[in-house]
Amino acid sequence: MAYMGMQAAFAAAGQTSNPDHPDLRKYTTGAALDLFTTALAKRKQEGVISRGETVNHAKVTAVSPAKAPTKAVVEDCMDTSKTELYKANGGPVSQDKGGFRLALANLELANGSWKVTDLAVRGVGSCKP
């Protein structure tokens, strides 16, 4: 699923704050790609990297058109409590403690490949798995 590929790509890119990680473009485009590359570039500039794993509870909630879908919506109640940001030198970064966050993603099929085109992530406590 492109959504889970996107999540894995962002996690991998976050380990070095690499906004040019090739898998980001493999699974995202448009506003979603801009969201990730901007965040990663900012982290890189600030010397911040990430570690840990997000636990996803993703499900497809809509597809269209019904026959031969080219668009889909994914809802995910992702658990970010086991992830953290830290300075490349090992120092801490002030952040929330993580938890369950609602993520809403729009996907489109283009050239035989599904890609996340838009992503919105709500605050901690916005969902329950």
Side-chain angles (χ1 to χ4, degrees), residues 71-124:
K71 294 185 179 191
V73 176
V74 170
E75 288 186 21
D76 184 8
C77 186
M78 60 187 203
D79 181 2
T80 60
S81 63
K82 292 183 174 44
T83 63
E84 63 181 329
L85 298 175
Y86 62 101
K87 295 278 186 182
N89 66 9
V93 172
S94 178
Q95 63 183 332
D96 67 47
K97 293 182 180 184
F100 291 104
R101 301 172 180 267
L102 177 63
L104 303 168
N106 293 320
L107 291 83
E108 289 186 20
L109 180 62
N111 300 321
S113 177
W114 285 95
K115 290 192 178 194
V116 178
T117 59
D118 196 27
L119 177 69
V121 179
R122 307 288 188 246
V124 171

Side-chain angles (χ1 to χ4, degrees), residues 1-128:
M1 169 195 287
Y3 176 82
M4 293 305 295
M6 172 204 71
Q7 289 286 8
F10 183 64
Q15 293 173 2
T16 58
S17 290
N18 179 5
D20 298 316
H21 192 284
D23 284 351
L24 290 173
R25 283 160 184 76
K26 182 177 179 182
Y27 297 108
T28 65
T29 191
L33 179 59
D34 291 345
L35 177 73
F36 287 129
T37 56
T38 299
L40 290 163
K42 182 178 179 198
R43 287 182 187 176
K44 186 173 196 137
Q45 182 180 25
E46 295 171 351
V48 174
I49 53 181
S50 63
R51 63 180 164 208
E53 290 186 32
T54 298
V55 177
N56 298 94
H57 301 92
K59 60 185 175 194
V60 176
T61 58
V63 294
S64 65
K67 201 175 204 180
T70 57
K71 294 185 179 191
V73 176
V74 170
E75 288 186 21
D76 184 8
C77 186
M78 60 187 203
D79 181 2
T80 60
S81 63
K82 292 183 174 44
T83 63
E84 63 181 329
L85 298 175
Y86 62 101
K87 295 278 186 182
N89 66 9
V93 172
S94 178
Q95 63 183 332
D96 67 47
K97 293 182 180 184
F100 291 104
R101 301 172 180 267
L102 177 63
L104 303 168
N106 293 320
L107 291 83
E108 289 186 20
L109 180 62
N111 300 321
S113 177
W114 285 95
K115 290 192 178 194
V116 178
T117 59
D118 196 27
L119 177 69
V121 179
R122 307 288 188 246
V124 171
S126 54
C127 65
K128 293 181 184 179

